[in-house]
Amino acid sequence: MGYPDTFEGFMVKDQDKWWEFTKQEFQPKKFQERDIDIKITCCGVCGSDVHTINGGWGGAPMPLCVGHEVIGTAVKVGEKVTTVKVGDRVGVGAQIWSCMECKPCKTDNENYCPKKIDTYGAPYPEEMGGVIAQGGYASHIRAHEYFTFKIPDGIPSEEAAPMMCAGLTVYSPMLRAGVGPGKRVAIVGVGGLGHFAIMFAAAMGAEVYVLSTSPDKEEAAKKLGAKEFILTNDENWAEPWAFTFDFMLNSADAAHKFDMAAYLSTLSINGEMHHVGLPDAALPEIKAQMFAPNGCKMGGSHIGSRPEMFKMLQLVSEKKLKPIIEEVSISEAGCAHVVKGVAKNAVRYRYTLVDYDKAFPNR
């Protein structure tokens, strides 16, 4: 049928063949008064896409179109939409709906709404169409206006795309932790999330240290704003850094391999180790005694809020920050290439799928 009755996307049909994409039509949710239809221009490729389609995070409804770092143009707006008009360049991240009524939603914590709907793989209730949400490797996406964000003119679409998830995921916990001048911040991992975290922490005025197992990433880390680059595969690496870091953001999805006591020992008194890298495996055994020597703590978070998204975009715009991305044309082969690249940690440092008009010429 085609738009607006159906959208078209590159979809995975089988988690055992997670690298095989087929272009096919799917039915979007019912269009409602606060919805926005977006013709997609580009979409970032997130580690979550791979964890979802390969079963690392468990089962997923198939066939599935992933992608939750979406940039495009609003082509239709609901009658009660006030924040976006047709023709606006907008973005959508990893969440597409919340109830707007619970305590988290009413306190700018809608990303923790117990009824939240993720951008792909989540079921809509029957009153919204009863379909499975499908993501941004597609011709269009239909999103609630609260989870649709106007993109500042100075940020290229290909660079804005990975900010919709990766950028917000690291910015939100750092903002809430008070990262800024006078703070020593450690970023664990230099990847899609980590390279944003280094850049943002430096732009926020913090003194930035990078913890990594990859010596070949030192030059990039320092260009992004790191003061020191610390190799954590060196024996006794943590000893010189005892009681140093006020806040540690772990962006690597390898925490199940960490010597957690060593990482925690580098935190200052009451410092925090915060996880946004989410591995398939469980964390290593942790004893309560590990937190006692410096009164440290450990936590995690889920993306960020709408106000935090706009603060992040303002920071990027004002500081003229530029992520390190690789552009790949969207196609069945292109989608296979990017998910395999993410799985192999081959990308430096974030893929953005582009050339949507070539892939979806009849939209």
Side-chain angles (χ1 to χ4, degrees):
M1 288 187 291
Y3 179 82
D5 299 306
T6 61
F7 299 167
E8 194 174 19
F10 291 95
M11 307 183 79
V12 173
K13 297 180 179 180
D14 186 345
Q15 285 184 311
D16 291 332
K17 298 179 180 179
W18 53 271
W19 59 90
E20 292 186 1
F21 289 81
T22 303
K23 189 164 72 167
Q24 65 184 74
E25 290 188 342
F26 61 87
Q27 184 180 349
K29 72 175 289 291
K30 176 183 176 182
F31 190 85
Q32 295 176 293
E33 60 190 12
R34 294 191 67 189
D35 283 344
I36 299 169
D37 278 358
I38 300 161
K39 184 172 73 171
I40 300 175
T41 303
C42 57
C43 183
V45 180
C46 185
S48 303
D49 301 349
V50 178
H51 289 295
T52 300
I53 59 176
N54 71 9
W57 286 349
M62 296 287 165
L64 184 63
C65 180
V66 293
H68 57 205
E69 298 183 332
V70 179
I71 303 293
T73 303
V75 293
K76 180 181 179 181
V77 300
E79 60 184 20
K80 290 193 175 180
V81 171
T82 61
T83 57
V84 170
K85 65 181 184 301
V86 170
D88 284 345
R89 187 172 62 125
V90 294
V92 174
Q95 184 178 353
I96 209 158
W97 187 86
S98 73
C99 75
M100 304 293 175
E101 297 176 351
C102 65
K103 182 177 179 180
C105 284
K106 291 182 176 180
T107 56
D108 289 333
N109 289 294
E110 68 279 357
N111 46 311
Y112 298 108
C113 173
K115 296 181 181 179
K116 68 180 181 294
I117 296 177
D118 295 330
T119 298
Y120 59 75
Y124 279 104
E126 286 301 320
E127 61 267 26
M128 297 186 197
V131 299
I132 298 297
Q134 304 289 351
Y137 297 11
S139 60
H140 301 79
I141 195 165
R142 181 167 290 165
H144 189 283
E145 73 164 317
Y146 198 80
F147 299 94
T148 304
F149 313 100
K150 290 181 68 173
I151 305 301
D153 291 340
I155 306 176
S157 295
E158 295 78 10
E159 296 176 8
M163 297 175 194
M164 296 297 99
C165 178
L168 182 62
T169 294
V170 300
Y171 179 78
S172 170
M174 293 197 295
L175 183 68
R176 296 187 186 209
V179 167
K183 293 290 183 75
R184 289 185 172 185
V185 175
I187 307 299
V188 183
V190 188
L193 293 174
H195 99 285
F196 271 114
I198 298 164
M199 182 170 61
F200 288 168
M204 294 163 82
E207 190 171 281
V208 183
Y209 299 74
V210 170
L211 311 184
S212 175
T213 60
S214 304
D216 62 314
K217 294 181 178 180
E218 180 172 3
E219 182 179 356
K222 289 187 174 177
K223 284 183 178 178
L224 288 164
K227 177 183 178 181
E228 297 281 354
F229 187 88
I230 302 164
L231 281 173
T232 56
N233 41 11
D234 289 349
E235 189 176 358
N236 302 320
W237 70 268
E239 290 183 4
W241 304 102
F243 300 102
T244 299
F245 308 123
D246 302 300
F247 185 74
M248 179 184 293
L249 187 74
N250 171 38
S251 71
D253 64 354
H256 58 294
K257 302 176 183 178
F258 286 1
D259 176 355
M260 205 61 73
Y263 283 86
L264 295 176
S265 74
T266 66
L267 294 172
S268 62
I269 304 302
N270 300 138
E272 178 184 356
M273 183 179 190
H274 191 96
H275 295 274
V276 291
L278 306 177
D280 295 344
L283 292 175
E285 182 179 78
I286 297 173
K287 293 184 178 180
Q289 291 92 325
M290 291 182 182
F291 301 101
N294 52 0
C296 66
K297 52 186 177 288
M298 184 184 292
S301 56
H302 174 65
I303 52 174
S305 69
R306 179 178 175 88
E308 289 166 343
M309 178 72 85
F310 286 121
K311 287 180 181 178
M312 177 196 70
L313 292 172
Q314 182 179 8
L315 177 72
V316 171
S317 185
E318 289 178 351
K319 300 285 187 177
K320 302 187 185 314
L321 303 179
K322 297 183 74 65
I324 302 172
I325 62 168
E326 296 181 28
E327 297 180 20
V328 176
S329 294
I330 189 168
S331 65
E332 291 174 356
C335 291
H337 172 76
V338 295
V339 296
K340 287 179 180 178
V342 170
K344 295 176 182 177
N345 195 27
V347 59
R348 296 293 184 270
Y349 286 97
R350 203 75 172 181
Y351 289 122
T352 300
L353 291 166
V354 297
D355 295 330
Y356 273 60
D357 284 340
K358 293 179 181 178
F360 306 107
N362 301 315
R363 54 180 182 154

